[in-house]
Amino acid sequence: MNNFLVCFVTLATFCNCVQFPSSFKKCDKRRSDFNQCLSDVVYEGFKVLDKPLKSHGLPSLHDIEYPPDVIIEIGNSTYGLEQKFSKLRIIGLSKPESVTARLEFGPVVSTLTIEASYIEIIWQMKYDAQGTTVLLPLKVQTSLDLILRNPTLTFTIELEEYEKGATYFKVIHSDFDMHTDDFTPRFEQLFSDKLLNDEFNSALNEKGVQVFNIHKHLQVNMAPYFGSIFNSFFEKVPVAELFVD
């Protein structure tokens, strides 16, 4: 998705719904350096969202908590291991090392793409599992931290214009993707035996990126959530307030 013009436009920390403060940098669509300007503004916007902007319906990007009804389930307990991931949180999105943004304007649909690179992102969740793993019966509830080092997050948002007294954007589709150099899963208490738990975490971490790539398709669940954040902002701010034509 993925994902954040919602960040750069939020530099309007003290604005009302239709006007930005004079300090807000509006990028000129006619200039050849438009996307570089956009990248700089998005980068600053990420940092602004270290705290939530309730006036614009925007959550903090430092600690994003999914709605409580978002649950990811894989496998089954009859033939293997039933796994459920819930109470998902992502920590650290407000502190990118670098941001590259581009906005391609189309006659009907415009596409915003943002690539944000980080030193570290932590993905926290509750993990429930029931079934059998390597012949060992397992029934457990534990916290699970997924630590991504040097990750790049890509947000792709498709926008369509509509009229409501002025021209506004609305999100019609969103995608989200993650790549990482290192992936470290950390189960707090998968097994009651601490030594066994630590050894399992260690063995799993040796194949961290491989494990990440196997389950990478599950991140599709994140796209609609980020898309809804974008949309909640765009419905308040006219397109004319975002750019110089």
Side-chain angles (χ1 to χ4, degrees):
M1 36 214 56
N2 56 341
N3 258 311
F4 276 115
L5 184 59
V6 74
C7 299
F8 91 70
V9 289
T10 55
L11 289 175
T13 309
F14 303 105
C15 71
N16 58 31
C17 292
V18 295
Q19 291 184 331
F20 291 99
S22 58
S23 60
F24 174 69
K25 185 178 180 181
K26 295 171 69 172
C27 298
D28 191 333
K29 294 164 58 177
R30 300 165 297 183
R31 292 178 59 93
S32 60
D33 64 350
F34 170 76
N35 284 329
Q36 181 57 57
C37 174
L38 183 63
S39 299
D40 294 341
V41 177
V42 172
Y43 175 77
E44 294 300 325
F46 270 88
K47 295 195 294 184
V48 167
L49 282 177
D50 191 57
K51 296 181 179 180
L53 288 178
K54 295 182 179 179
S55 61
H56 292 76
L58 299 174
S60 166
L61 294 184
H62 171 67
D63 187 347
I64 295 179
E65 184 174 355
Y66 281 70
D69 58 346
V70 173
I71 297 174
I72 300 173
E73 296 187 65
I74 58 176
N76 66 78
S77 58
T78 303
Y79 301 104
L81 190 65
E82 181 183 65
Q83 302 173 80
K84 182 169 69 175
F85 305 87
S86 59
K87 297 185 178 179
L88 309 172
R89 296 170 61 200
I90 299 179
I91 298 173
L93 290 187
S94 63
K95 302 185 185 305
E97 282 291 291
S98 64
V99 170
T100 300
R102 58 187 179 274
L103 181 55
E104 300 174 1
F105 293 94
V108 178
V109 176
S110 298
T111 303
L112 169 69
T113 305
I114 297 173
E115 296 179 359
S117 297
Y118 296 83
I119 294 177
E120 182 178 279
I121 291 292
I122 299 176
W123 198 3
Q124 293 183 340
M125 62 197 69
K126 176 184 175 185
Y127 177 81
D128 294 81
Q130 183 173 348
T132 304
T133 177
V134 196
L135 302 181
L136 179 67
L138 188 67
K139 184 175 182 180
V140 64
Q141 291 183 343
T142 182
S143 63
L144 169 61
D145 287 355
L146 306 178
I147 303 169
L148 290 77
R149 295 186 176 88
N150 299 319
T152 297
L153 281 59
T154 303
F155 308 91
T156 305
I157 302 293
E158 292 184 359
L159 304 166
E160 190 174 75
E161 294 183 358
Y162 70 99
E163 298 295 323
K164 189 181 66 175
T167 302
Y168 290 81
F169 275 138
K170 67 177 177 181
V171 176
I172 59 173
H173 183 71
S174 58
D175 284 316
F176 175 78
D177 193 24
M178 285 192 294
H179 294 274
T180 185
D181 289 346
D182 184 71
F183 181 69
T184 304
R186 187 172 61 202
F187 290 92
E188 181 180 355
Q189 192 174 12
L190 187 62
F191 304 102
S192 58
D193 185 297
K194 184 179 184 304
L195 179 60
L196 178 59
N197 195 79
D198 291 345
E199 290 293 336
F200 181 86
N201 279 329
S202 179
L204 188 61
N205 294 340
E206 289 180 5
K207 299 184 180 296
V209 174
Q210 182 179 343
V211 172
F212 175 82
N213 289 332
I214 290 173
H215 296 91
K216 194 169 180 291
H217 65 284
L218 297 176
Q219 67 191 22
V220 69
N221 293 275
M222 303 168 70
Y225 177 69
F226 287 124
S228 68
I229 296 177
F230 278 82
N231 206 52
S232 68
F233 182 85
F234 287 133
E235 66 183 9
K236 299 181 181 70
V237 182
V239 174
E241 291 294 326
L242 303 177
F243 314 108
V244 176
D245 286 311

